[in-house]
Amino acid sequence: MEENLADNSEREARPSKTKRKKEMHALQGIGESLVQLDSKRLIELGLSDTLMEAVLEAKRIRKHGALRRQMQLIGKLMRDVDAEPIRKKLDLWGNLSAESTARLHQLERWRERLMADEQMQALNELGQKYPTADLQQLRTLARNAAKEKLANKAPKSFRALFHELQKIIPATDERRSEGID
């Protein structure tokens, strides 16, 4: 009877086959993310030599079957590594990327508003929100960008307007407005 209890407790202590399989697939998913990274970021992660070689080799492989086998090897190598720091770093980089994309979209919305018919309203809002903004220069750039667009000319002022907005609107502004800061 005691032997039965020991076997049951031992079975309960180790994870089920399904759980182990899910963990292995998760590690393989992290490995796939590693293959997508550039060399600079890979070095930043401080991976073991064997894992780094496997990831670099996967980047070179073009055949589907060979790549699938290489990804399985990376997943197997990931079992010997503490994946949590890698996962945290990948999440951090993913969030930074999402934040920078959101900032670019915010700047593009301001640029479009300044070039649209509601230019005066947009300039007033921009001036209230960012008192250091040179509204005259923004108005000139927006007007010139609209003219360039109508005349199908090179978007020189269009780009200059975007760069000026980048200087005016700080990168941390978006985080504050969402309550992240």
Side-chain angles (χ1 to χ4, degrees), residues 105-139:
H105 287 301
Q106 178 192 30
L107 294 170
E108 287 172 1
R109 282 192 302 272
W110 273 112
R111 178 174 58 185
E112 291 302 318
R113 285 188 64 201
L114 288 170
M115 290 176 54
D117 295 335
E118 60 180 70
Q119 181 186 37
M120 289 309 293
Q121 182 184 354
L123 278 171
N124 287 335
E125 284 180 38
L126 196 66
Q128 288 172 357
K129 205 167 184 182
Y130 307 102
T132 59
D134 183 359
L135 299 180
Q136 184 61 40
Q137 183 183 15
L138 288 172
R139 182 181 297 120

Side-chain angles (χ1 to χ4, degrees), residues 12-151:
E12 290 173 8
R14 67 177 181 214
S16 68
K17 185 175 180 181
T18 305
K19 186 173 182 180
R20 287 186 308 210
K21 204 169 184 180
K22 283 182 182 178
E23 289 172 0
M24 286 185 251
H25 284 293
L27 290 174
Q28 193 169 339
I30 293 173
E32 289 173 9
S33 298
L34 293 176
V35 173
Q36 301 301 318
L37 293 176
D38 62 349
S39 300
K40 180 183 167 201
R41 290 223 164 145
L42 280 173
I43 292 169
E44 220 175 293
L45 286 171
L47 303 174
S48 68
D49 291 340
T50 53
L51 182 57
M52 180 68 94
E53 287 174 21
V55 169
L56 293 175
E57 181 63 28
K59 286 176 165 285
R60 288 188 286 270
I61 295 174
R62 297 290 169 235
K63 302 261 184 190
H64 178 70
L67 181 60
R68 183 183 56 78
R69 286 188 299 276
Q70 188 68 18
M71 293 311 298
Q72 288 174 336
L73 173 66
I74 291 171
K76 184 178 178 182
L77 293 172
M78 288 290 297
R79 293 181 211 162
D80 300 332
V81 176
D82 183 16
E84 196 54 36
I86 296 171
R87 184 178 293 132
K88 285 181 181 177
K89 197 72 148 173
L90 289 172
D91 288 344
L92 175 70
W93 288 335
N95 288 339
L96 289 177
S97 162
E99 285 177 16
S100 64
T101 301
R103 174 167 158 53
L104 291 175
H105 287 301
Q106 178 192 30
L107 294 170
E108 287 172 1
R109 282 192 302 272
W110 273 112
R111 178 174 58 185
E112 291 302 318
R113 285 188 64 201
L114 288 170
M115 290 176 54
D117 295 335
E118 60 180 70
Q119 181 186 37
M120 289 309 293
Q121 182 184 354
L123 278 171
N124 287 335
E125 284 180 38
L126 196 66
Q128 288 172 357
K129 205 167 184 182
Y130 307 102
T132 59
D134 183 359
L135 299 180
Q136 184 61 40
Q137 183 183 15
L138 288 172
R139 182 181 297 120
T140 304
L141 287 171
R143 186 178 58 238
N144 290 344
K147 286 179 183 177
E148 288 171 353
K149 191 174 182 179
L150 288 173

